[in-house]
Amino acid sequence: MIKETDVLIIGAGAVGCAIARELSVYGRRITVLEKEADAGFGASGRNSGVVHAGFNNPSGSLKAALCREGNRGFEKLASDLGIGFLRTGKLVVGNTERDLESLTRLKIQGERNEIDELEILDEEEIRRREPALRGKYALWSGRTGIFDPFEYTLALAEDAASGGVRFLFGHEVKSLRREQDGIRVLAETSAGDPAEFLSGIVINAAGVGSARIFRMTGKDTYRVLPCRGEYHLLEKGSFGSIGRPVYPVPDPEKGVLGIHLTPTLHGNLMIGPSAEFTEDPEDMANTAPVMEELLAGARYLLGEDCSFRLIRSFSGIRPRIVEKDGTPVTDFRMEEDPDLPGMIHLLGIESPGITASVPIAKRVAGMLREDGSQPQDRLLTERDRSRFPRVKEAAGGRMICRCETVTEGEILQAVENARKLGALPTMKGIKNRCRASMGSCQGGFCTLDISRLLKDKAGIPTDRLTYDGPGSELFTGVLKGGEDQ
Amino acid sequence: MIRKEVIIIGAGPAGMAAAVKLESMGFRDLLVLEKEEQPGGVLRQCIHPGFGLIRFGRNLTGPEYSLEYRNRMEEAGIPVCYDTTVLKVRKGEDGGIIITAAGPDGTKEYYCDAAILASGCRERSRGALMIAGTRPAGILTAGTAQGMMNLLNTKVGERIVIIGSGDIGLIMARRFTLEGSRVLCVVEKEDVCGGLSRNRKECLDDFGIPLVTGAQVVRIYGEKRVRSVTIREDDGLERTVECDTVVLSAGLIPEDGFVEGEVPGLFYCGNALYVHDLVDEVSESGEEAAMDAAGFLLSRGSGRETFSRYASEEVPRVRKERRAYVERRKEEKRLHRDDHHFITCIICPNSCRIDLRDLSGGQCPRGEVYARNEKEHPYRILTTTVLTEKGEPVSVRTDVPIPLEELQKGVETLQRFRVPGPVKTGEILLRDFICPGTNLVATKGSTE
């Protein structure tokens, strides 16, 4: 059976969810297809969690403009969504005269991009702001902040769902075809079943998969050049004084910001990301040389003699896109397919893509309106959010996760919120919603208690519990009496 | 604010021993805070034998050992707050100790004159080991695997590689094998086994599970579930082993992250101080810490300084000493590494080394008998779990050792066995089990 919808969004990352939320005020039928089991499992959940100011992007670029817009609106957005955000400021640190020149150039670029609160600091002032830091010169950006990318992406998704958007998880798009009355999209569910959709508008917000979706239109204009970034996550209280993101002077050759230190809202410190081109856009491994390189990168900023208490290493893939001849797509591209009316592709949405996600969504909404006007924010601000209570509000019952002090109530609320969104409740989804098992024991203590709670109170049998969707079953069966249970 | 003279954090083998000792010394204003809904700590899931040889002169399983102290604690009428997780321990302004804990009625503050920290230890996670590769399902610590199997009746994997040869990893290697999973190898980065030689023998050698020393798992593969690991040996040679599960037993870390700095009047014991080899030692340190806490309370205001190696301010020094001891012991193990003619007698804690060729070296005749049996027909106590009719797993043991070669058969026999009705601790569930005269006994009752 073909399911009809007005707008079909491919990808439930920050950008896909922001678009769904933005469009939800129009009362159209909006469907989001996501191949993973939950929202934010791709690059949206695998990044530094920084709200960028916008001084790193070339003047006149969409990146610069939308990043600035996103940054300026983030307090309001965070308050509307009920999520955490801290305008911490950030330091870009250098040691040589050449670094100072680069920092000055960055500052000039930033000023041209109309970013305020930029300042060059000397060694003494750096020490005053971040005593643990080594460095002679720094660019200070007062507009930069930090947020929780899991919380953010899920809040956008929940907001969209509250506005009537339908999310279908475990749906991987396989093909697209122009038809008389719209675009026909064929997807495959994680169970291997086909699912067909017909939609007037299809928006490709598939992140690292966006080039693959683009090629389904029969053209080979773009291909993806997966650029992996690895991270280390440090135990809470490591280098306790680091209160804001600290970056080295960026290397213009690599086109990335370099291995930096980012505090999280929860008190951890992250080191990363690296930048390596990989063959496989799904290969999110950590590699031994890069794991060492990250530590070296952190030592460059913190001094040679420091040691690190790692609790986890992870990686993500930047959705970097190149044209057929290999020319990198350096700016965001948002374009309607000339041969496929109604098909909108979002390509090259890498850093500062999350900062810019709501402005991107507003532009897309503008593209869909004949007069180009953007929707009214008031409707989103006033949205009834009671359907998805914040998990913190459900705190109660036994303490399950000691490291992050997460109670039974919060875990059960996380499961309920996942189900209401249409997502499969998974360990990773629960972790992203309430932080259970995200702390220094990494589930050593609480995996058992969470499993028992999910079995007893959420109807999830232990042998069906997965880490992040079908195929990632945490356990392989029941031990005794398996046949007759 | 709840006021008590002494608060004991944790009702495991250290905390219970400390509480019982304090009560026996005349301290009545006590309170034990326990995060679980019942006492015992990690012993609740340690269903294997080997506990209590020193304290009780008997070879007990974890639940049985725990019950000994639970009974003593209950007879003494010591109050315990269950489901109560300590979040913070700090120095009060006037010399006392303030403990913040989350319990069934929310978060509360407790105030006491002295406290015993008996919060046990945690396992080192994969993140701390810097192992490259992906992060699929199927990577878990040995303790988690043990709990999932013994308390939640869950099979954690089919083809298993164990990283680290700590005691829990060795114990789990045997348990996995008896329950029908295949343990491919135990990979140890040092050149000697990390666990006790008794465990090496009874958990690996008995079942022909290879211990690869001087080797490391350098990469984990698999997207959704573990698919394989790469093992690198000291000579640089790498090989890939296909498996679906990686179990970590690569170190235990005292669980004291909620203590804020030095806290006068706080006494560390058990594995919260440093990780002990035997539970008997853990309980002993609980008692000693209790005595030192008593000394601290009685001499307060007298101007006399008391010294205790369990005191908060001594912890860094004591841990350092322990590390040096562990290193020395590793050296000793190295000396005997290739010594296949000797076995260590485990009948009593003297641990005599007996020459298998002429059965000499024991301090008493029992050593000779033990060595002959080990050489000719080894016997082992069987421990496993069985289900009640309602599907609850309860732990069981044979009351006497049975021939080693019968263990597997014993576990298989019990695969579909259901115990009718509620089970009491110590109840005989099956008579003439495997061998005539051998009984299958419940080591822990059902909750009904």
Side-chain angles (χ1 to χ4, degrees):
Chain A
M1 195 189 72
I2 300 180
K3 298 179 193 87
E4 283 188 35
T5 182
D6 297 323
V7 182
L8 190 108
I9 299 165
I10 305 170
V15 172
C17 292
I19 296 170
R21 172 176 177 264
E22 210 63 45
L23 297 180
S24 62
V25 294
Y26 296 115
R28 298 197 221 188
R29 288 174 301 172
I30 303 166
T31 305
V32 180
L33 299 186
E34 167 57 54
K35 74 179 165 65
E36 300 294 333
D38 204 340
F41 274 11
S44 298
R46 300 164 176 277
N47 57 74
S48 302
V50 171
V51 173
H52 292 285
F55 59 83
N56 277 303
N57 308 108
S59 306
S61 63
L62 259 181
K63 277 186 181 173
L66 298 185
C67 180
R68 182 186 60 221
E69 191 182 326
N71 183 297
R72 286 185 180 163
F74 219 88
E75 269 98 357
K76 169 79 167 59
L77 179 63
S79 129
D80 280 356
L81 294 173
I83 62 164
F85 170 58
L86 211 54
R87 211 174 271 285
T88 53
K90 127 174 173 174
L91 289 161
V92 187
V93 179
N95 281 302
T96 62
E97 289 292 324
R98 243 189 100 200
D99 287 346
L100 179 61
E101 278 171 36
S102 307
L103 293 174
T104 311
R105 270 200 305 277
L106 270 182
K107 180 169 181 275
I108 294 169
Q109 177 170 276
E111 283 160 354
R112 215 179 287 145
N113 293 355
E114 295 169 51
I115 313 299
D116 39 12
E117 295 182 53
L118 295 174
E119 197 185 335
I120 300 282
L121 307 182
D122 61 12
E123 196 166 359
E124 196 185 325
E125 188 56 28
I126 297 171
R127 284 279 178 165
R128 202 184 63 77
R129 295 192 193 192
E130 285 295 354
L133 215 57
R134 308 290 161 90
K136 281 201 168 63
Y137 313 102
L139 173 63
W140 165 259
S141 157
R143 300 291 305 167
T144 308
I146 58 173
F147 70 115
D148 177 338
F150 304 120
E151 187 186 36
Y152 174 66
T153 307
L154 289 165
L156 289 172
E158 289 170 359
D159 228 39
S162 299
V165 173
R166 183 164 176 234
F167 283 83
L168 294 173
F169 293 98
H171 279 65
E172 183 171 0
V173 171
K174 291 289 182 191
S175 68
L176 299 163
R177 195 169 74 231
R178 168 108 202 106
E179 298 237 325
Q180 196 81 50
D181 39 3
I183 301 167
R184 185 187 283 252
V185 176
L186 179 69
E188 190 182 284
T189 70
S190 41
D193 300 321
E196 274 197 280
F197 302 86
L198 186 67
S199 180
I201 293 161
V202 175
I203 298 165
N204 171 8
V208 79
S210 56
R212 191 176 61 85
I213 303 289
F214 185 90
R215 292 164 88 94
M216 288 176 193
T217 63
K219 288 179 293 239
D220 60 354
T221 322
Y222 299 107
R223 65 191 162 86
V224 67
L225 196 63
C227 181
R228 184 167 61 203
E230 299 187 25
Y231 284 92
H232 290 315
L233 181 68
L234 303 188
E235 206 166 295
K236 283 185 182 179
S238 302
F239 308 97
S241 55
I242 304 274
R244 48 190 59 85
V246 178
Y247 288 64
V249 172
D251 173 3
E253 304 262 302
K254 276 198 150 174
V256 292
L257 299 181
I259 295 165
H260 49 263
L261 310 172
T262 317
T264 69
L265 283 183
H266 314 283
N268 302 92
L269 193 68
M270 281 195 289
I271 305 173
S274 57
E276 276 79 36
F277 291 104
T278 61
E279 297 281 307
D280 177 2
E282 304 277 321
D283 182 7
M284 279 173 275
N286 286 86
T287 56
V290 173
M291 292 170 92
E292 289 297 336
E293 188 192 317
L294 293 180
L295 298 183
R299 286 199 184 97
Y300 172 78
L301 296 166
L302 291 164
E304 285 308 312
D305 49 351
C306 56
S307 58
F308 304 94
R309 286 180 297 155
L310 267 57
I311 60 174
R312 189 174 180 83
S313 303
F314 65 97
S315 73
I317 306 282
R318 297 176 182 84
R320 181 154 298 182
I321 306 287
V322 292
E323 289 183 20
K324 197 158 59 172
D325 61 2
T327 316
V329 174
T330 54
D331 205 358
F332 296 154
R333 287 210 185 158
M334 297 183 252
E335 53 196 33
E336 184 163 1
D337 196 318
D339 308 320
L340 202 58
M343 177 80 216
I344 294 174
H345 296 287
L346 305 184
L347 296 153
I349 315 289
E350 53 178 313
S351 178
I354 293 203
T355 308
S357 49
V358 166
I360 289 171
K362 288 186 190 300
R363 293 284 169 113
V364 171
M367 287 166 79
L368 298 181
R369 285 166 69 92
E370 271 152 32
D371 60 357
S373 68
Q374 293 184 356
Q376 300 225 323
D377 269 355
R378 187 180 50 82
L379 294 170
L380 288 172
T381 303
E382 289 166 5
R383 172 159 284 165
D384 176 9
R385 296 186 162 79
S386 57
R387 205 174 142 219
F388 292 95
R390 303 283 93 204
V391 288
K392 275 279 164 225
E393 288 161 20
R398 253 188 83 196
M399 185 69 68
I400 301 281
C401 166
R402 269 190 276 172
C403 305
E404 297 292 325
T405 60
V406 185
T407 56
E408 252 183 37
E410 289 156 90
I411 292 169
L412 293 174
Q413 186 66 56
V415 172
E416 204 184 313
N417 285 0
R419 284 185 168 145
K420 276 191 212 152
L421 190 64
L424 184 75
T426 62
M427 276 299 220
K428 183 169 167 170
I430 290 168
K431 182 165 92 164
N432 290 356
R433 281 177 177 81
C434 69
R435 297 189 57 78
S437 81
M438 218 177 246
S440 56
C441 88
Q442 288 285 300
F445 280 124
C446 58
T447 300
L448 173 77
D449 286 330
I450 297 173
S451 306
R452 192 197 326 250
L453 180 68
L454 297 179
K455 175 169 79 83
D456 292 346
K457 295 193 183 161
I460 304 172
T462 306
D463 56 329
R464 301 275 295 280
L465 183 59
T466 67
Y467 176 64
D468 60 1
S472 67
E473 281 70 20
L474 286 171
F475 310 106
T476 57
V478 293
L479 194 63
K480 294 286 161 74
E483 301 80 12
D484 48 83
Q485 273 193 342
Chain B
M1 183 97 80
I2 297 154
R3 297 187 77 96
K4 291 280 167 187
E5 189 171 18
V6 191
I7 287 179
I8 296 109
I9 300 168
M16 289 194 287
V20 169
K21 189 75 186 176
L22 279 164
E23 201 275 342
S24 75
M25 287 186 292
F27 291 88
R28 298 286 183 268
D29 191 20
L30 307 174
L31 180 65
V32 183
L33 304 178
E34 167 55 46
K35 73 179 174 74
E36 300 293 332
E37 56 190 5
Q38 47 189 311
V42 78
L43 290 176
R44 295 183 308 121
Q45 64 184 50
C46 296
I47 64 166
H48 54 279
F51 301 97
L53 287 163
I54 301 174
R55 298 241 107 193
F56 303 112
R58 282 183 289 151
N59 191 358
L60 303 175
T61 64
E64 291 169 319
Y65 183 97
S66 169
L67 187 63
E68 294 286 335
Y69 275 101
R70 181 183 187 157
N71 289 341
R72 284 167 171 72
M73 197 166 66
E74 283 172 2
E75 277 160 27
I78 299 165
V80 187
C81 285
Y82 293 109
D83 287 332
T84 302
T85 303
V86 171
L87 303 175
K88 200 188 277 183
V89 178
R90 66 184 205 276
K91 199 168 129 178
E93 276 86 46
D94 51 349
I97 299 169
I98 299 169
I99 297 172
T100 313
D105 322 315
T107 301
K108 282 182 190 161
E109 286 208 326
Y110 298 79
Y111 183 91
C112 55
D113 300 320
I116 306 278
L117 187 80
S119 44
C121 56
R122 62 172 58 191
E123 299 173 280
R124 187 164 285 139
S125 73
R126 185 249 175 117
L129 300 173
M130 284 262 285
I131 303 170
T134 49
R135 295 157 302 282
I139 306 170
L140 71 175
T141 61
T144 300
Q146 187 178 48
M148 290 306 301
M149 286 180 87
N150 298 346
L151 303 177
L152 276 193
N153 193 40
T154 300
K155 196 164 193 193
V156 302
E158 307 300 328
R159 292 171 60 82
I160 301 167
V161 167
I162 299 178
I163 298 179
S165 56
D167 284 307
I168 318 171
L170 303 181
I171 298 284
M172 289 314 293
R174 170 176 63 188
R175 180 102 174 97
F176 290 139
T177 307
L178 284 173
E179 296 293 340
S181 302
R182 183 139 178 247
V183 178
L184 303 162
C185 58
V186 177
V187 183
E188 169 57 55
K189 75 171 168 26
E190 301 271 347
D191 55 354
V192 287
C193 179
L196 299 171
S197 15
R198 176 185 76 189
N199 288 336
R200 153 105 204 239
K201 166 139 198 25
E202 296 195 350
C203 299
L204 300 187
D205 299 352
D206 275 2
F207 301 94
I209 299 167
L211 172 68
V212 192
T213 53
Q216 272 177 283
V217 168
V218 291
R219 187 153 180 153
I220 298 173
Y221 298 87
E223 272 170 43
K224 288 287 174 185
R225 176 93 195 180
V226 173
R227 196 175 65 232
S228 61
V229 297
T230 300
I231 298 170
R232 183 191 292 152
E233 300 203 27
D234 266 355
D235 54 13
L237 215 63
E238 290 193 358
R239 65 191 162 105
T240 297
V241 176
E242 283 182 20
C243 57
D244 60 19
T245 305
V246 174
V247 168
L248 305 172
S249 177
L252 299 168
I253 304 154
E255 172 76 349
D256 63 349
F258 47 82
V259 180
E260 291 196 341
E262 279 180 16
V263 180
L266 177 68
F267 295 85
Y268 284 54
C269 62
N271 289 350
L273 177 58
Y274 59 74
V275 176
H276 295 68
D277 294 320
L278 300 173
V279 73
D280 307 67
E281 297 165 358
V282 163
S283 297
E284 191 185 355
S285 87
E287 288 177 355
E288 286 178 359
M291 288 192 279
D292 287 3
F296 168 84
L297 290 170
L298 297 173
S299 66
R300 256 188 331 163
S302 69
R304 274 180 301 141
E305 289 269 315
T306 56
F307 171 80
S308 165
R309 67 188 298 266
Y310 298 94
S312 170
E313 49 274 21
E314 291 297 319
V315 168
R317 188 184 61 80
V318 171
R319 285 183 182 160
K320 198 173 154 201
E321 275 176 22
R322 175 66 182 184
R323 278 195 295 275
Y325 166 76
V326 170
E327 279 308 311
R328 282 200 305 279
R329 210 181 41 183
K330 219 180 272 170
E331 278 306 315
E332 275 170 39
K333 273 191 192 169
R334 262 182 209 118
L335 287 177
H336 302 305
R337 193 172 37 171
D338 301 314
D339 231 347
H340 300 299
H341 297 299
F342 290 86
I343 66 162
T344 303
C345 175
I346 58 166
I347 299 295
C348 81
N350 281 338
S351 303
C352 301
R353 281 169 46 76
I354 298 166
D355 192 329
L356 279 173
R357 288 163 295 192
D358 58 3
L359 306 178
S360 68
Q363 293 177 34
C364 73
R366 288 185 299 175
E368 192 184 321
V369 175
Y370 170 77
R372 178 173 293 123
N373 278 338
E374 276 299 307
K375 195 175 166 186
E376 288 161 12
H377 37 80
Y379 274 62
R380 300 283 180 262
I381 290 171
L382 170 68
T383 58
T384 182
T385 51
V386 296
L387 288 190
T388 65
E389 262 177 349
K390 293 198 171 167
E392 182 186 348
V394 292
S395 50
V396 295
R397 64 176 288 172
T398 54
D399 55 354
V400 292
I402 61 170
L404 172 61
E405 65 269 19
E406 300 287 348
L407 291 183
Q408 193 81 56
K409 185 178 148 203
V411 174
E412 278 161 21
T413 310
L414 296 171
Q415 179 63 31
R416 290 206 184 87
F417 175 70
R418 291 272 183 150
V419 193
V423 178
K424 283 202 288 283
T425 308
E427 187 181 334
I428 294 173
L429 303 180
L430 289 171
R431 289 184 192 279
D432 296 326
F433 177 68
I434 302 293
C435 304
T438 301
N439 297 317
L440 188 74
V441 181
T443 54
K444 174 128 187 15
S446 58
T447 52
E448 302 148 43

